[in-house]
């Protein structure tokens, strides 16, 4: 309280404020692949994140529906895969403006390029990148909803190496999100060449092993060659891929309340954890659905040592874009 001590003279008692967040990772994920998000909406989101002390923007840039990221190494990706290659893309200058705008507000930008699934739009610009699918009669067909990379081809890894080298140079954050979730095995299983590759590798009929083969090679490229730490969705851990000690496993399943068991298993493996399961904002229910977001406690898994609980870096709220665009992103999220 101000105290008057003389004419136009006041004293203010000295105070020392100690205010430290519990978790270093306080994020929000936005999706610009299902619906394109103009730059002004992304920057408005960053403004609100700053006001709410969130410090990581997880940018899910591309997916089956569209590839709006303009790659200088592979310009055909956005030219063929974006909703509109002129108006619905993020140029290198656009990306830099988002990174700079976020940095000035104390916010990191974590870019996600999800593979080997969710890649239908990728295949429009890079011929031969996706697995050829076949129908029950053995005739070639085009995937109608989901794309999956041909992880048996050496050319795929040549592409991945060059593409992620560009991405790492464009996004300066210490981490790269590599995705790895929801791989549809149907196309792989329909392809005779893939089945033969599985036989030679002694994978049997377990296509999780084929996914793990790809993820392991990708992880080695990003961590060993490009010297970048990485985040993966929880399926990568669940499928027993060998992961570096500094891996961050992103937990998203178990929104009904079963996620603590997954967090516990990851912590027991000594890996860092990023939690999103309780905070899928794109799921709306009747009544007061917001209370459960505040009731979720990331460290609520027992028994757990103090060291294991420290492996939880924090969490991210997710706003997936199937039913969200520039008209309602702000209102739906906040």
């Amino acid at each position: 309280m101000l105290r008057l001590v003389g004419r136009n003279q006041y004293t203010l008692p000295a105070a020392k404020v100690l205010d430290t967040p519990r978790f270093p990772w306080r994020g929000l994920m936005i999706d610009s692949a299902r619906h394109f998000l103009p730059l002004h909406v992304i920057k408005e989101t960053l403004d609100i994140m700053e006001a709410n002390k969130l410090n990581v923007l997880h940018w899910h840039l591309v997916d089956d529906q569209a590839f709006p990221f303009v790659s200088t190494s592979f310009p055909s990706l956005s030219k063929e895969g974006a909703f509109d290659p002129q108006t619905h893309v993020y140029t290198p200058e656009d990306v830099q403006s988002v990174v700079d705008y976020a940095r000035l507000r104390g916010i990191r930008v974590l870019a996600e390029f999800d593979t080997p699934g969710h890649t239908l739009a990728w295949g429009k610009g890079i011929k031969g990148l996706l697995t050829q699918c076949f129908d029950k009669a053995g005739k070639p067909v085009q995937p109608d909803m989901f794309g999956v990379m041909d992880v048996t081809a050496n050319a795929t890894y040549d592409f991945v190496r060059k593409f992620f080298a560009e991405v790492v140079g464009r996004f300066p954050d210490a981490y790269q999100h590599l995705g790895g979730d929801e791989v549809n095995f149907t196309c792989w299983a329909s392809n005779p060449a893939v089945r033969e590759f599985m036989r030679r590798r002694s994978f049997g009929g377990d296509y999780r092993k084929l996914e793990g083969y790809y993820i392991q090679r990708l992880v080695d490229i990003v961590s060993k060659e490009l010297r970048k730490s990485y985040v993966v969705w929880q399926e990568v851990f669940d499928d027993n891929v060998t992961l570096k000690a500094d891996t961050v496993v992103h937990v998203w399943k178990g929104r009904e309340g079963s996620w603590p068991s997954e967090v516990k298993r990851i912590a027991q493996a000594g890996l860092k954890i990023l939690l999103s399961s309780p905070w899928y904002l794109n799921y709306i229910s009747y009544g007061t659905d917001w209370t459960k977001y505040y009731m979720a406690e990331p460290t609520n898994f027992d028994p757990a040592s103090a060291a294991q609980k420290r492996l939880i870096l924090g969490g991210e709220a997710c706003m997936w874009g199937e039913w969200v665009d520039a008209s309602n992103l702000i209102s739906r999220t906040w």
Side-chain angles (χ1 to χ4, degrees), residues 61-226:
L61 274 149
V62 303
D63 212 292
D64 286 309
Q65 292 78 5
F67 198 106
F69 175 80
V70 176
S71 166
T72 56
S73 301
F74 301 97
S76 59
L77 284 167
S78 59
K79 184 177 180 180
E80 302 297 332
F83 290 127
D84 187 300
Q86 299 298 321
T87 62
H88 287 55
V89 292
Y90 304 107
T91 66
E93 293 76 21
D94 293 334
V95 168
Q96 188 62 51
S97 73
V98 171
V99 171
D100 290 342
Y101 196 88
R103 175 177 52 81
L104 293 174
R105 286 152 183 79
I107 298 171
R108 299 159 39 206
V109 178
L110 172 72
E112 180 187 355
F113 291 88
D114 191 3
T115 63
H118 290 279
T119 54
L120 186 62
W122 300 53
K124 295 177 181 179
I126 305 295
K127 304 307 178 187
L129 181 64
L130 301 187
T131 304
Q132 174 63 62
C133 307
F134 294 85
D135 63 16
K136 293 181 179 179
K139 295 181 179 180
V141 294
Q142 295 297 321
D144 55 354
M145 290 182 62
F146 307 105
V148 59
M149 287 182 172
D150 182 358
V151 300
T152 69
N154 289 330
T156 297
Y157 299 96
D158 294 336
F159 162 79
V160 165
R161 180 176 286 104
K162 187 175 181 180
F163 176 76
F164 276 99
E166 177 186 353
V167 168
V168 166
R170 297 269 289 277
F171 293 93
D173 193 66
Y175 287 95
Q176 174 66 51
H177 203 306
L178 301 178
D181 68 324
E182 296 184 320
V183 179
N184 190 319
F185 297 148
T186 304
C187 186
W188 278 346
S190 75
N191 187 296
V194 173
R195 294 198 300 270
E196 174 60 19
F197 183 89
M198 294 274 289
R199 186 193 65 77
R200 294 199 308 269
R201 291 278 173 174
S202 300
F203 289 165
D206 188 353
Y207 287 90
R208 293 177 303 172
K209 293 181 179 179
L210 182 59
E211 179 188 4
Y213 169 83
Y214 166 80
I215 292 292
Q216 190 63 67
R217 291 190 64 174
L218 175 62
V219 163
D220 288 344
I221 289 170
V222 172
S223 63
K224 295 179 181 179
E225 298 181 25
L226 302 179

